[in-house]
Amino acid sequence: MATLVLQTAGAVIGSFLGGPIGGAIGSVIGATAGTVIDQSLISSVRSKGGRKTVSGPRLKDLDGISATEGAAIPRLYGRARLGGQVIWATRFEEEAVYSRTKPRGGKGGIGGGGGSKAVIEVSYRYYANVAIGLCEGPVGFVRRVWADGKLLDLTTVTMRFHHGGSTQEADPLILAKQGAGGAPAYRGLAYVVFERLPIESFGNRLPQFTFEVVRPVHGLCRRIQAFNIIPGAGEHVYEPAVVSISSGLGASRLPNRAQLTHATNWIASMDAMQALCPGLRNVALIVAWFGNDLRVGQCTIQPLTEPGTADSDQYPWAVAGLTRATAGTVSLTNGKPSFGGTPSDASVIRAIRDLKARGLQVTLYPFIMMDVPADNARGNPYTGDVFQPPFPWRGRMTCDPAPGRPSSPEGTAGADAQVAQFMGSCVASDFAVDVNSVNYSGPQEWTLRRLVLHTAALGQAAGGVDALVLASELVALTRIRGAGAVNPAVAGLKALAAE
């Protein structure tokens, strides 16, 4: 500050005395004097034992925190962005950081001594301990936090959220600072506590916080007891751990993190789900493989990856014995993947374990997505056209030609053969369970039986699940009549249930 002031003053005085040249000389003299003053204000130099210690600037006032007395406590319904009020704080914590630098050589080092003395630089960092009241509790959760208008990555700071229930206990930091007799629990008030929040990036002051708070209304949310967990497709959507994929030149991307409140999307979503629906008891985890044809006699069901994606070194994609190099890929629509890839086996196992650790019952839901692109040229069993409708409903899978059309095999052994081709012949003993994978030794087929039995084995690898869905929405398939007016798909599903 002194540099700017004296530089300006020197320029004015110099111009008055000696014109433009005098102004330039006065500016230089003023800037030099100001630099000397600034250095004396913000740092100190000490010499001891052959070394020099340079101290950086320090805060003179460690308070810098205020609150509005008598402010009203908001009452929230649904979701809103709130500012909050400081309800408790300590003085800023100061941390000295020492760094040793070698002399630059020669004479005239800092302090005027020779160049042989080592220089110890001391800088200071400051941290805030603060509790901020948000609104009347209880509430569900804090979805996002802004500091000075920018989203705050909550995985980089220590923030504890208190829901504001009638039985909540005092925050451990407040309890440690105030003692058991002086630590309020703030029951009925939803609040957050930041512990040792670094404030250097905020200009060594407490930033202006705003919080997106969610409070589910009474009634419907509390009555919900079960969820389907989707999307079912996405290579790492169910991975609780952080997946990092190299994108070249020392850069990386995190495909399973799109928010700043938790380490991964999975953890953020599951926490929010339980906060919004406290009566939740059961979840159905949907795991998708891909069918490629409406004609059941020619349809395969197999796991696919997303084209053009790289693997994670720590969590490589692997499903049913396939790796990224050996698996097929989903089709493209306008140059982009039509679907996410099949969730990796290991991620499904870890997701099941996380759900069980949360006290939830788990239903595994193997699911067929139909990846039939527009330019398929696979033949429509219902019309005889060259092309099947793009991305059709799985409930339209049937024999070829479809029942009611000329030459349809319905009611004959031909229909039995087409359905048997779709169902497959593998059995449960073909699947061996490992810690985070399933090994397969049966016939080389990609069928409904392999999808269902493989998914069941994933549940076994995770320590067991509560229920399994064999298949869903296969309406046209289960209506096909074979020889003797028997529904071969129904009989096949019964046999699969027994496996």
Side-chain angles (χ1 to χ4, degrees), residues 320-452:
L322 298 177
T323 64
R324 188 174 299 279
T326 58
T329 59
V330 297
S331 64
L332 296 175
T333 300
N334 297 325
K336 297 181 179 180
S338 305
F339 303 89
T342 298
S344 179
D345 279 350
S347 69
V348 174
I349 293 172
R350 284 189 283 267
I352 295 170
R353 291 171 179 163
D354 180 68
L355 292 170
K356 294 172 65 176
R358 293 171 178 269
L360 298 173
Q361 297 177 344
V362 180
T363 296
L364 269 184
Y365 195 158
F367 197 76
I368 303 173
M369 288 187 173
M370 299 301 293
D371 190 6
V372 181
D375 56 348
N376 56 84
R378 293 171 189 171
N380 190 330
Y382 291 95
T383 64
D385 294 339
V386 175
F387 296 98
Q388 296 179 13
F391 309 112
W393 177 40
R394 64 201 62 80
R396 298 276 288 169
M397 285 191 289
T398 187
C399 59
D400 184 37
R405 292 195 64 239
S407 304
S408 174
E410 187 181 37
T412 70
D416 292 325
Q418 289 190 24
V419 172
Q421 180 70 27
F422 177 78
M423 296 295 298
S425 59
C426 59
V427 294
S429 59
D430 294 329
F431 299 83
V433 173
D434 203 346
V435 176
N436 286 312
S437 63
V438 173
N439 300 314
Y440 177 70
S441 58
Q444 293 306 305
E445 62 181 43
W446 295 108
T447 61
L448 179 64
R449 289 182 68 93
R450 184 162 182 187
L451 164 62
V452 173

